[in-house]
Amino acid sequence: MKKLLLVLMIMLMALSFTVACDGDNGGSSSDKLKVALILPGKKDDLSFNQSMYEGMMNYLDANEDKMELKVTENVYEVSDIEPALLDFADQGYDVIIGHGFQFMEPLVKVAKQYPDTHFVLGTGYKFEKNSAIYDVSLDDGGYQMGVIAGLATQTNKVGVIGGADVSEIYRGHEGFKLGAKSVNPNIQIQEVYTGDWNDTAGAKEAAVGMYDSGVDVIWHSGDGIGLGVVQAAKEKDKYVLGNVADQLKLAEKNVLSGVVYQWKAVLENIFDDIDSGEFLKLADEERFYWITAENEGLNYSKINDSKGWLTSDDLTKIESSWKDLKAGKIDFSVIKEPTK
Amino acid sequence: MRNKLTKNLNQLLLAIGTIILALLVGAVIISFSGNSPIEAYLSMFNGAFGSKQRFMEVLVKMIPLVIMALGTSVAFKANLWNIGADGQFIMGSIFAIFVTIYSGLPPIIGIPVSIIAAMIGGGLWAGLAGWIKVKFNANEVITTLMLNYIAVYFLSFLVYGPMMDPGGSKMPQTKLIPDAFRLPLFESGNRLHIGIFISLIIVVIMIFFWKSTLGFKIALLGQGEKVTTYSGVSVKKMIVFTMIISGLLSGIAGWTEIYGVQYRLLEGITSGYGSMAIVIALMGGLNPVGILISGFFFSALLVGGATMQRMTDIPFSIVDIVQGLIIIFIIARTAINFKEIKNRIVRRMEHVK
């Protein structure tokens, strides 16, 4: 009776065990660097994921003979992250990239168990001897957006909407305020943190509220919330400034410009360090690879002034402020870290 | 004895038949989507059994799934459609971690207390649905489902609010439980923890449970309220009681996931285990050993599907399709009621004789 079932089950388990031991295809076919990129969203999201995907693809095109790349999308649930990392490490991948803050804890944990594998984390602060972090110094980008918004506004009111006031977003927002005030000292700035990166609806509500109160240019600092802000701009026919990837396609009449991340700038550094073996010996502070205006990891998309609010004088100012940012001439020391 | 053997064998064959049918129909759908079904199933199989690490991951997923399915089966056997295993899982883990983080008990006392807290959390949550049913005659399908939402949002409130890890840069999660409270792992490099023994022990307990008077009373409830009343058992008490037992098992599942895998409370901790548990319970014929087998099958499907999605371009939705097909076939099986058909054939054949 039930014994039979039990026997069957034990046989089934034993069978799968033998399969498990036989089926190991650990040996790699070539001596290329095996790289896995794990994205929390879709590679064509016109945002955080797409910027990394494109950066990685750019790098791959230039180095096709040296590496093979596996891209995995939509690993968002925390319970999926650790198995994915473990599996790639176990399959003999040399470099594993977790593109997002939520990868930090599992990545550090798995990195400890696979000391010969290189782990790379997209934004965060914890690391191991075999892991590093790439991040964005968003104060540069925010400053430039502030300058553009400050010059473009007709009502003297601008807004900024973000997901959560974690470090780099906070710095971006403060940069925005500095930039806006640098060209327009009496400007009124409204600011909202939605508290959730994917709260498209909430962000849209916030943006509609801002536009209704007279704001005519809003910069958003990323992801799902950004889509909501762009939608609101389209409905109210006002200007929006994008972030991460060029979002012009979303609303051709309303996207004035935006910060564009070019991760390729740091990917080259990271892979050079991995190739030379330096990666495992980096000092703690060297484990952060920043994209900045200076190293051209940050840029702004072409000004698309469909309403004609910017004068040629304004455009010159925008260009010169970018030059200053690239030369590192802007002083950001007034920004204080967020108080917890 | 012989009768029982053929009955169990029949059930096993039926289950295997259901799976094969689901895989076949699934294959047709996969080929419509432009992918190769053979490639999909092979990479799924390889994804679940292709390496030791992957196989261990199957066992890791199996632990909460089997325990939750056992919990679900208790209610189902009494004809109580408790579909709130997710909520009970969440309340169990909240209660358990609350005790661990705030009581400051040493591990020797703290661990057993946390299990009991998990049982209380899960049991109360399901018992509440039972009580509402008895008191207001509210359908438990709706109440347990609604209680799921309450639990999910309560969890969100806690991890975004009062229980948020102060050092975690505003991630929606609590701080980690101390090392001494975590269930030991078998080896580093994979996540299999000794919770697997806990799930096996619970399977054994459930085998004996169904032979006990209490188990018999619960099964009796499933035969209809009148039967229960005639046999002198209070229906109302039994409904609440059955729900409590059902929920406390899901609470234990939450406990194993927190103390064995995640070490903290976080948003989205159930990842849809509850609906999977329903399928596993039905697939296993509400029988503990059957649930163990179907739990193993479904966690292989889950892990294999996730790996397949990582390694190939075939979407994970295929797993959802196969799972959905299995549910449809199980429901069809119950609705059509093969026994009736078989009896008719037998009767007719006897007439012929």
Side-chain angles (χ1 to χ4, degrees):
Chain A
M1 28 163 266
K2 273 165 195 163
K3 255 183 215 155
L4 183 82
L5 287 180
L6 206 70
V7 171
L8 271 174
M9 197 198 64
I10 290 166
M11 273 164 57
L12 191 76
M13 283 195 163
L15 187 79
S16 42
F17 249 122
T18 49
V19 173
C21 300
D22 288 345
D24 205 1
N25 48 357
S28 166
S29 53
S30 62
D31 51 357
K32 284 182 180 176
L33 201 65
K34 283 178 84 181
V35 181
L37 168 63
I38 311 176
L39 299 174
K42 294 199 71 68
K43 64 187 178 201
D44 53 359
D45 67 347
L46 282 177
S47 189
F48 192 61
N49 293 289
Q50 182 166 359
S51 71
M52 184 60 189
Y53 179 74
E54 282 175 357
M56 202 65 216
M57 282 303 168
N58 267 331
Y59 184 77
L60 180 71
D61 283 344
N63 299 279
E64 212 149 2
D65 49 327
K66 280 201 307 202
M67 63 189 271
E68 55 180 79
L69 175 68
K70 176 82 225 160
V71 180
T72 297
E73 297 172 82
N74 283 330
V75 181
Y76 186 74
E77 293 277 333
V78 185
S79 57
D80 294 337
I81 291 177
E82 202 183 327
L85 292 169
L86 274 172
D87 192 45
F88 278 123
D90 187 59
Q91 294 289 307
Y93 276 78
D94 303 300
V95 183
I96 301 170
I97 306 172
H99 185 56
F101 189 74
Q102 65 269 47
F103 285 82
M104 182 167 73
E105 302 274 351
L107 189 131
V108 169
K109 193 174 151 199
V110 176
K112 261 186 233 166
Q113 295 169 9
Y114 289 90
D116 299 328
T117 310
H118 308 81
F119 291 87
V120 185
L121 171 69
T123 79
Y125 54 86
K126 287 188 190 168
F127 51 82
E128 283 295 311
K129 280 202 249 342
N130 53 334
S131 84
I133 296 155
Y134 59 87
D135 207 335
V136 46
S137 103
L138 198 58
D139 30 10
D140 285 1
Y143 185 90
Q144 183 69 4
M145 290 303 113
V147 170
I148 296 174
L151 292 169
T153 178
Q154 306 290 301
T155 55
N156 217 21
K157 286 179 185 166
V158 296
V160 53
I161 298 179
D165 54 345
V166 293
S167 58
E168 90 268 8
I169 300 296
Y170 172 83
R171 293 187 67 86
H173 282 208
E174 295 305 308
F176 178 86
K177 293 174 195 167
L178 262 168
K181 284 183 185 146
S182 76
V183 291
N184 193 342
N186 299 318
I187 200 160
Q188 289 182 36
I189 303 171
Q190 299 188 15
E191 182 181 30
V192 166
Y193 288 109
T194 59
D196 181 343
W197 298 108
N198 293 315
D199 188 6
T200 310
K204 189 180 166 188
E205 286 301 306
V208 167
M210 278 188 187
Y211 285 132
D212 283 345
S213 73
V215 168
D216 56 1
V217 187
I218 297 179
W219 177 53
H220 73 76
S221 56
D223 270 4
I225 55 157
L227 300 178
V229 179
V230 176
Q231 274 171 23
K234 216 170 163 180
E235 267 174 33
K236 297 280 165 188
D237 196 26
K238 298 278 166 64
Y239 273 154
V240 61
L241 295 162
N243 194 26
V244 189
D246 187 353
Q247 292 175 321
L248 183 64
K249 270 190 251 168
L250 291 175
E252 293 190 358
K253 282 189 187 144
N254 306 99
V255 177
L256 176 58
S257 176
V259 185
V260 177
Y261 297 8
Q262 283 159 334
W263 296 110
K264 196 174 168 240
V266 288
L267 284 174
E268 271 165 20
N269 297 343
I270 293 172
F271 281 106
D272 284 349
D273 284 347
I274 289 173
D275 281 343
S276 67
E278 281 298 308
F279 188 87
L280 299 174
K281 295 177 230 155
L282 292 172
D284 285 357
E285 68 278 6
E286 290 174 334
R287 292 192 177 274
F288 292 87
Y289 295 85
W290 295 95
I291 54 168
T292 61
E294 239 169 297
N295 66 17
E296 296 189 357
L298 279 180
N299 211 330
Y300 65 103
S301 57
K302 200 165 157 276
I303 302 281
N304 165 44
D305 186 16
S306 64
K307 296 185 193 302
W309 287 356
L310 289 166
T311 62
S312 60
D313 192 31
D314 292 339
L315 291 173
T316 336
K317 276 187 195 160
I318 290 170
E319 269 166 42
S320 75
S321 99
W322 188 246
K323 272 187 202 132
D324 288 348
L325 282 166
K326 283 182 82 164
K329 279 189 200 157
I330 308 290
D331 179 19
F332 287 109
S333 60
V334 282
I335 299 179
K336 289 187 198 76
E337 283 304 310
T339 43
K340 284 212 172 131
Chain B
M1 194 66 182
R2 221 191 136 70
N3 231 341
K4 218 171 177 186
L5 181 78
T6 48
K7 194 185 145 212
N8 276 336
L9 204 65
N10 266 344
Q11 213 166 37
L12 187 72
L13 287 176
L14 253 175
I16 293 173
T18 311
I19 292 173
I20 291 174
L21 201 60
L23 290 179
L24 284 177
V25 179
V28 176
I29 297 175
I30 296 168
S31 52
F32 274 138
S33 78
N35 292 301
S36 148
I38 296 173
E39 194 201 337
Y41 288 145
L42 270 181
S43 61
M44 221 187 255
F45 185 81
N46 191 36
F49 305 114
S51 75
K52 191 174 159 206
Q53 194 275 126
R54 288 173 179 172
F55 181 66
M56 293 299 166
E57 194 58 33
V58 172
L59 297 182
V60 170
K61 284 262 186 299
M62 187 176 140
I63 298 167
L65 284 175
V66 164
I67 302 177
M68 277 169 106
L70 288 169
T72 308
S73 75
V74 172
F76 280 14
K77 207 144 190 172
N79 251 339
L80 289 167
W81 303 105
N82 171 16
I83 57 169
D86 273 337
Q88 292 138 27
F89 177 104
I90 291 173
M91 293 314 281
S93 24
I94 291 175
F95 271 53
I97 206 132
F98 202 81
V99 170
T100 305
I101 290 184
Y102 296 116
S103 73
L105 289 170
I108 298 174
I109 313 166
I111 292 173
V113 170
S114 71
I115 304 182
I116 294 167
M119 289 162 74
I120 293 174
L124 278 182
W125 210 239
L128 182 62
W131 180 77
I132 296 173
K133 183 183 172 70
V134 168
K135 194 84 183 166
F136 306 107
N137 200 20
N139 190 320
E140 74 280 3
V141 175
I142 294 161
T143 52
T144 50
L145 185 68
M146 292 301 148
L147 286 169
N148 272 354
Y149 285 104
I150 298 175
V152 166
Y153 288 120
F154 183 53
L155 174 66
S156 286
F157 161 72
L158 289 178
V159 294
Y160 275 107
M163 288 178 86
M164 185 186 262
D165 181 5
S169 334
K170 311 210 164 158
M171 286 284 278
Q173 56 193 20
T174 64
K175 62 181 182 187
L176 291 165
I177 56 171
D179 279 335
F181 283 87
R182 302 176 190 179
L183 293 177
L185 298 175
F186 282 96
E187 53 182 346
S188 78
N190 64 63
R191 308 198 290 169
L192 187 62
H193 54 90
I194 61 159
I196 189 83
F197 293 128
I198 297 175
S199 67
L200 292 177
I201 290 169
I202 295 178
V203 170
V204 175
I205 292 176
M206 290 311 291
I207 292 174
F208 288 104
F209 176 78
W210 290 120
K211 294 190 169 142
S212 71
T213 339
L214 188 61
F216 180 73
K217 281 182 186 166
I218 289 176
L220 202 61
L221 193 60
Q223 303 294 317
E225 292 190 0
K226 280 186 183 155
V227 183
T228 318
T229 320
Y230 286 141
S231 55
V233 180
S234 157
V235 175
K236 289 185 175 178
K237 257 188 211 159
M238 275 317 287
I239 287 176
V240 177
F241 199 70
T242 308
M243 288 298 281
I244 289 177
I245 293 178
S246 170
L248 71 82
L249 283 170
S250 293
I252 296 178
W255 181 84
T256 63
E257 193 68 3
I258 298 276
Y259 289 75
V261 180
Q262 302 292 355
Y263 309 137
R264 58 158 45 119
L265 262 185
L266 36 85
E267 226 187 4
I269 186 149
T270 60
S271 21
Y273 288 164
S275 53
M276 207 100 198
I278 295 171
V279 190
I280 293 169
L282 291 175
M283 183 88 206
L286 305 186
N287 159 322
V289 180
I291 287 173
L292 185 62
I293 299 172
S294 73
F296 179 74
F297 169 77
F298 273 99
S299 45
L301 195 66
L302 262 182
V303 174
T307 324
M308 176 191 72
Q309 190 186 28
R310 276 202 296 278
M311 294 302 174
T312 68
D313 291 329
I314 306 167
F316 184 81
S317 331
I318 286 171
V319 173
D320 295 330
I321 292 174
V322 171
Q323 191 193 335
L325 287 169
I326 289 175
I327 298 176
I328 292 174
F329 291 141
I330 291 172
I331 292 169
R333 207 173 76 196
T334 347
I336 296 171
N337 198 353
F338 286 107
K339 217 183 215 166
E340 190 65 22
I341 299 171
K342 216 167 100 188
N343 282 348
R344 239 177 242 176
I345 295 170
V346 172
R347 244 179 274 150
R348 196 160 287 176
M349 276 163 75
E350 275 169 356
H351 273 292
V352 172
K353 265 182 213 168

